[in-house]
Amino acid sequence: MGKKILATLPGFDGLKEEDLEKILAIAVVKKHEKKELLFSDGERGAGFFVIVRGRVKVIKVSPEGKEVILHLCGPGDHIGQVAVFSGHAYPASAETLTDCELLFFPRQAMIDLIGHEPQLALSLLAVLSAHLRQLTTQVESLALKEVPGRLAAYLLYLAEERKSPGTVTLDTSKAHLASMLGTTPETLSRIFSDMAERGLVDVDRREVTLLDQEGLQRLAERGRYGA
């Protein structure tokens, strides 16, 4: 793992070359196959991960065994930082969706480094803030909006996050997306079809063109059609 790659990852971009060298010195490159568990809910927070290649889902499982996806993560995403910096256990589980390459940062080594490099702490705080914003939006959608509003809000979030206002690519399965939005794959497919009929989106497999962003915004804010 070179400095050039590390410098492109959120939380590390913009850091000085000497700071990147110090971070690389404590990073451990890990490779995992599809469907491997990175950490379990309640496990001691031994360190956090940054995805270099592949996809990971962060999940909670109810006492009845129902899985709820909290985050779908890809290259550049950080996983497990809250537990590391709070000193508590991981609040959820993380499992690979594909073969993955990750950087693992041991907790104590990272805390020691941050103590000497305050700029790194500010950079990682920005990443944590972005994750908190996403989680807050997700909780709000699940609590206050019907499924069409949740999907509209998620599509707009993807467009903003990836700086692609006209088109977004769903780089996960409908089953995983449905779980994250608190619905079923069948209902999700019906809503996509309904949005297409209303002229809000055009769906070509996993490519979604946002035809009417103002309409999507109204749907996201109201949570339902015609509200």
Side-chain angles (χ1 to χ4, degrees):
M1 178 63 61
K3 285 181 288 185
K4 288 184 178 179
I5 295 177
L6 185 64
T8 65
L9 300 177
F12 306 116
D13 50 336
L15 294 179
K16 297 177 181 178
E17 185 171 339
E18 54 265 35
D19 293 333
L20 293 173
E21 290 176 351
K22 294 174 184 177
I23 294 168
L24 279 174
I26 66 170
V28 180
V29 178
K30 289 182 174 285
K31 295 184 178 180
H32 292 267
E33 296 182 353
K34 181 179 179 180
K35 292 187 177 180
E36 284 192 29
L37 200 62
L38 298 182
F39 54 79
S40 300
D41 188 352
E43 181 183 334
R44 183 177 66 88
F48 74 93
F49 297 83
V50 177
I51 302 173
V52 177
R53 176 180 56 83
R55 302 282 295 169
V56 174
K57 63 178 178 179
V58 179
I59 59 174
K60 290 284 286 188
V61 180
S62 72
E64 296 77 27
K66 181 181 178 181
E67 178 184 293
V68 177
I69 296 178
L70 303 179
H71 298 291
L72 294 169
C73 306
D77 285 334
H78 297 219
I79 308 170
Q81 326 91 300
V82 174
V84 170
F85 297 123
S86 69
H88 297 153
Y90 293 116
S93 301
E95 181 183 312
T96 58
L97 291 169
T98 65
D99 292 349
C100 290
E101 181 178 356
L102 309 103
L103 288 177
F104 176 73
F105 296 91
R107 178 178 184 271
Q108 193 57 54
M110 179 55 74
I111 289 176
D112 291 344
L113 181 58
I114 286 176
H116 295 92
E117 306 293 341
Q119 182 57 45
L120 176 58
L122 291 174
S123 296
L124 292 175
L125 181 60
V127 175
L128 282 171
S129 297
H131 284 189
L132 179 60
R133 173 175 170 267
Q134 180 185 2
L135 185 58
T136 300
T137 299
Q138 183 179 348
V139 171
E140 177 186 291
S141 292
L142 289 172
L144 303 177
K145 300 174 183 177
E146 294 184 0
V147 181
R150 297 175 205 166
L151 178 55
Y154 181 71
L155 292 174
L156 292 170
Y157 166 79
L158 284 183
E160 178 185 354
E161 183 73 10
R162 299 176 184 177
K163 297 179 174 59
S164 57
T167 304
V168 297
T169 300
L170 303 176
D171 47 6
T172 187
S173 69
K174 283 187 178 179
H176 289 139
L177 179 56
S179 174
M180 190 172 68
L181 296 177
T183 188
T184 64
E186 295 77 17
T187 298
L188 186 65
S189 294
R190 288 198 299 270
I191 293 171
F192 266 125
S193 296
D194 189 43
M195 284 184 169
E197 290 177 4
R198 292 169 182 265
L200 295 173
V201 300
D202 179 64
V203 183
D204 182 9
R205 297 185 180 182
R206 294 192 176 187
E207 194 94 346
V208 182
T209 302
L210 310 186
L211 301 175
D212 182 359
Q213 293 196 46
E214 290 185 1
L216 287 170
Q217 187 64 51
R218 287 193 298 271
L219 178 57
E221 292 172 354
R222 296 170 180 171
R224 65 184 70 186
Y225 296 118

